[in-house]
Amino acid sequence: MNDLQESPVDGQRGPADHNIREQIIAAAYDHFAHYGYGKTTVSDLAKAIGFSKAYIYKFFDSKQAIGEAICSNFLSEIIVTLEESVSSGRSATEKFRIMAETLTDTGVFLFSNDRKLYDIAIHSCTEKWSSSLKYIENIEHILARIILEGRESGEFERKTPLDETCRAIMGAMKPFVNPVMLQYNLDDLPRDKNEMISLVLRSLAP
C-alpha cells in the first residue's frame, strides 16, 4: 500500500494560504459549535462573520466545503496522534492494541467533549465526504503496516491475503471507529472494545 495521504481540500477556492480562509474556518467552527452544522447556512455564517455571502464563496463553494476543511484539520490531527501512539509499541501485537484503543478513546472523547464537532464528523461519514474517506484510508495504511510487521516477526499468520485481512479487521473495528455507530455503543465500552481486540489478535495468530 502507498504512504499516508494528506486530506484533500475539495471545494476550496482562491490562494491556498490566504488568511481570510483561516478566519472563515475559525468563525465557522465557532458558529457550528453554537448552532450545529445541520442548522447553519452559508448566509448565517456570512452574517456572523461580517462578510458577504458572495465573499465567502470566493474561498469555498459550499457549506460542505467549509465543513470539510474543519473536519480535515481535525482528522489529520487524529492521524498524527495515532502514528505517534502506534510507534511506541514494542511489537505488532502491542501496536494493534494501541491503534484500536487510541481510535476508540479519541471518538469517545470527542463525543463527550465536543458534540458539535462530533456532529460534523457524523455528516462527514454519512455523506461520504472526501475527508472522511481519506481518514479511513489512512487508518487502513497504518493497519496494513502493523499486519506486515507482525507477519515478518512471526506474530501473525501469513496465509490470508493482506487486503482480505485488513478488510475484515476494519469491519470488526467499525463500531468503534465510525462516529455514527460509536454513539450507540458507548454503554458497553470498554468491554466490547477489549473483546474485539482479543478476537482480532486471536484470528491473526499463526
Side-chain angles (χ1 to χ4, degrees):
M1 293 189 179
N2 298 325
D3 293 333
L4 294 182
Q5 302 294 314
E6 293 184 357
S7 297
V9 286
D10 290 356
Q12 296 193 22
R13 300 169 170 170
D17 60 351
H18 203 296
N19 62 357
I20 295 297
R21 183 191 311 282
E22 297 306 317
Q23 290 181 36
I24 294 172
I25 293 173
Y29 175 77
D30 289 340
H31 200 76
F32 293 153
H34 282 93
Y35 303 103
Y37 174 83
K39 296 180 179 180
T40 300
T41 66
V42 174
S43 295
D44 293 332
L45 291 177
K47 183 177 181 180
I49 297 171
F51 294 150
S52 69
K53 185 176 177 180
Y55 190 66
I56 290 180
Y57 279 129
K58 288 184 177 181
F59 297 92
F60 299 94
D61 65 13
S62 64
K63 181 182 74 171
Q64 178 179 323
I66 301 174
E68 281 267 21
I70 294 172
C71 199
S72 179
N73 290 341
F74 180 75
L75 293 179
S76 295
E77 291 177 4
I78 293 179
I79 291 298
V80 170
T81 299
L82 182 61
E83 286 276 29
E84 293 174 348
S85 299
V86 167
S87 66
S88 68
R90 293 168 293 182
S91 65
T93 297
E94 185 176 357
K95 287 180 179 180
F96 173 74
R97 187 176 295 279
I98 290 173
M99 174 184 177
E101 291 178 345
T102 299
L103 288 171
T104 304
D105 292 346
T106 299
V108 172
F109 177 84
L110 181 61
F111 181 85
S112 301
N113 295 277
D114 197 336
R115 295 292 292 274
K116 297 306 180 182
L117 185 54
Y118 195 88
D119 178 50
I120 297 175
I122 288 177
H123 280 278
S124 175
C125 182
T126 56
E127 298 171 14
K128 300 185 185 304
W129 293 0
S130 58
S131 54
S132 178
L133 296 176
K134 191 59 63 178
Y135 174 65
I136 295 300
E137 183 180 343
N138 285 335
I139 292 175
E140 290 173 345
H141 287 314
I142 296 172
L143 174 62
R145 291 206 310 266
I146 293 173
I147 300 302
L148 288 173
E149 180 180 331
R151 290 182 173 186
E152 291 173 0
S153 66
E155 295 173 70
F156 301 156
E157 61 88 16
R158 303 181 181 183
K159 295 181 180 179
T160 310
L162 179 62
D163 58 346
E164 180 181 331
T165 299
C166 289
R167 280 198 305 273
I169 295 175
M170 289 296 294
M173 292 196 302
K174 196 170 184 179
F176 311 98
V177 176
N178 184 306
V180 179
M181 299 177 69
L182 177 62
Q183 63 183 328
Y184 299 115
N185 292 304
L186 296 174
D187 291 342
D188 295 320
L189 290 175
R191 184 199 65 191
D192 287 358
K193 175 189 67 177
N194 292 333
E195 290 178 351
M196 178 274 292
I197 292 173
S198 296
L199 179 63
V200 169
L201 290 175
R202 285 196 298 272
S203 73
L204 290 172

